[in-house]
Amino acid sequence: MGVDITALIADWSWLAEVPPAERLERLREAWYDEATGLWDATSVTYGWEWPRGPHSALFGVYEFPGTLGSYKPHFWAGQAWEKARDHIDAGLQAELDALLGGLIWDGPDFDDEKPDEGHDFFSGGSGLLVAKSPEGVRESLATWERVRPRLDELREPFGEPEVASQFRDFDAFVRLLTNWGEVLAEAARRGWGIAGVNG
């Protein structure tokens, strides 16, 4: 059985009402609550889902289109970036390293850098794949806005045989990044953080 990912954006101040070790569980309980109406549908919905009930103003759920909920496309995109990055302009490479680090890629130097405080906020919650604080969201969105107009510069490097073998195609990579951009933009608009969870 593989790893799945669902991106939840949430009001960090609501989660901060409980100790760090209990925050991810609080978010999960709100998400799984039948009152949300999120579990009524028999088919999978892609894109945004907004809960009903008592938690309706506290979180939202994003399911990545074209991934069937699997984390594999995110992992493969990170692997493809690992291969392509050496063929990219140094400035763009640094920007994409910053954007993808902590979302879909744990690059060669990422572990040595200060991680986003989002993981500390949840005190290492089990099943937490991605965590971005509201500040981290704003920083990542600003990076995304700088990178987005330059994405076509990646097309040729993604055509290199060693890169192409790691990911379906360049357009799939861009679609996945664009989906993450949508998550970042909505979280930033609300002043919320992101929790990418397995499940």
Side-chain angles (χ1 to χ4, degrees):
M1 193 152 152
V3 176
D4 293 335
I5 185 171
T6 301
L8 293 104
I9 62 172
D11 183 340
W12 247 224
S13 62
W14 165 64
L15 293 173
E17 293 171 1
V18 298
E22 299 173 21
R23 292 172 183 163
L24 188 57
E25 187 59 29
R26 183 176 214 197
L27 182 56
R28 281 185 190 275
E29 285 177 5
W31 176 28
Y32 290 137
D33 188 334
E34 288 184 21
T36 64
L38 297 174
W39 306 99
D40 295 344
T42 56
S43 62
V44 176
T45 301
Y46 294 107
W48 287 109
E49 291 187 283
W50 301 102
R52 297 189 306 264
H55 302 106
S56 62
L58 299 172
F59 76 96
V61 181
Y62 188 84
E63 293 287 353
F64 289 89
T67 67
L68 301 176
S70 174
Y71 186 71
K72 285 182 183 178
H74 304 263
F75 174 79
W76 290 331
Q79 293 296 300
W81 171 244
E82 181 76 33
K83 299 285 188 181
R85 62 189 296 274
D86 291 337
H87 306 282
I88 307 291
D89 166 79
L92 182 56
Q93 181 190 90
E95 292 272 46
L96 276 161
D97 282 355
L99 176 65
L100 300 178
L103 283 180
I104 62 170
W105 181 63
D106 293 329
D109 301 322
F110 187 76
D111 291 336
D112 297 332
E113 297 173 7
K114 180 182 179 293
D116 185 279
E117 64 271 19
H119 282 277
D120 291 339
F121 181 79
F122 287 103
S123 187
S126 177
L128 186 65
L129 301 171
V130 175
K132 287 275 179 194
S133 67
E135 181 182 350
V137 165
R138 287 189 299 274
E139 291 170 0
S140 292
L141 180 61
T143 303
W144 166 242
E145 295 297 345
R146 290 190 301 270
V147 163
R148 186 170 49 177
R150 299 185 64 188
L151 288 177
D152 205 50
E153 294 177 37
L154 305 177
R155 186 175 295 279
E156 188 175 334
F158 266 76
E160 296 288 331
E162 69 271 19
V163 178
S165 67
Q166 295 291 317
F167 201 63
R168 288 181 303 181
D169 58 38
F170 170 74
D171 293 326
F173 180 80
V174 169
R175 276 192 302 275
L176 191 66
L177 287 191
T178 302
N179 293 151
W180 273 113
E182 186 176 339
V183 172
L184 290 166
E186 186 62 29
R189 187 180 73 79
R190 293 169 182 262
W192 289 358
I194 297 172
V197 299
N198 179 14

